[in-house]
Amino acid sequence: MRLQRIKDDKHWTEFTVQFSVVFRKLSKLQLIEMKYIVALTFLAMALAAPQEDKKPIEIISSNSEMNADGSYSFAFESADGTKVSESGSQKQVGPKPEDIGTVSKGSYSYTSPDGVVLTINWVADENGFQATGDHLPTPPPMPEHVVKMLADLKAAGVL
């Protein structure tokens, strides 16, 4: 009942008229801001686009093999000197017959921007992914007391 009285009130009518005028003004301002945002987005995309025509790098050799037992291998080399090779096979990685996984090994090499050829050899098996390369960082050696503690634990049958 009170709501009905407010709606019929003269002040309510004036308020709704003023609110709609303000709302229309806000909408026009928001529309202008939206146009600026869209224009700036297109400008940013244009500036981020590659400025030169990059041609695709030619693959100069490629081979692959897929066997019925799940083993596979593939290799390719591109004109820029990038080389990739990988081989893998199925292996039982757990005690149950259904605990079968793929073990893989491979390598890839490429030329760094400094002109140095970087090669990474890797293995992925039940122990995880392990990568090696002359340029990859290596952890520092374990402190002597940790090595002794691990040896003691192993001798005690804990490890």
Side-chain angles (χ1 to χ4, degrees):
M1 181 123 182
R2 182 172 180 193
L3 185 60
Q4 183 64 31
R5 199 173 337 140
I6 291 173
K7 284 185 178 180
D8 291 339
D9 194 316
K10 176 181 163 185
H11 297 293
W12 176 259
T13 307
E14 288 176 18
F15 172 77
T16 56
V17 169
Q18 288 174 355
F19 181 77
S20 73
V21 168
V22 169
F23 184 73
R24 274 191 237 130
K25 286 182 181 177
L26 283 177
S27 294
K28 288 178 184 177
L29 288 175
Q30 289 173 339
L31 184 61
I32 291 170
E33 287 176 2
M34 178 84 71
K35 287 180 181 178
Y36 281 122
I37 290 171
V38 170
L40 289 174
T41 302
F42 281 121
L43 178 63
M45 288 172 44
L47 292 174
Q51 301 299 317
E52 58 192 62
D53 290 334
K54 289 193 174 190
K55 295 181 180 173
I57 299 170
E58 181 182 357
I59 301 297
I60 56 177
S61 71
S62 175
N63 58 39
S64 64
E65 182 181 333
M66 198 84 151
N67 300 314
D69 64 356
S71 63
Y72 70 94
S73 66
F74 70 85
F76 71 85
E77 183 177 356
S78 63
D80 67 352
T82 301
K83 296 178 184 178
V84 176
S85 67
E86 180 177 333
S87 63
S89 62
Q90 299 297 305
K91 178 181 177 184
Q92 183 145 355
V93 293
K96 300 176 190 170
E98 61 268 10
D99 292 338
I100 295 177
T102 302
V103 294
S104 304
K105 64 181 178 177
S107 67
Y108 59 92
S109 63
Y110 61 95
T111 305
S112 74
D114 302 339
V116 178
V117 175
L118 303 174
T119 301
I120 293 90
N121 295 304
W122 59 270
V123 175
D125 57 14
E126 62 272 11
N127 298 315
F129 180 83
Q130 304 111 44
T132 58
D134 293 338
H135 63 289
L136 296 177
T138 57
M142 280 197 282
E144 191 174 318
H145 70 280
V146 173
V147 173
K148 183 183 179 319
M149 181 180 66
L150 290 173
D152 292 344
L153 288 171
K154 189 172 186 179
V158 176
L159 289 179

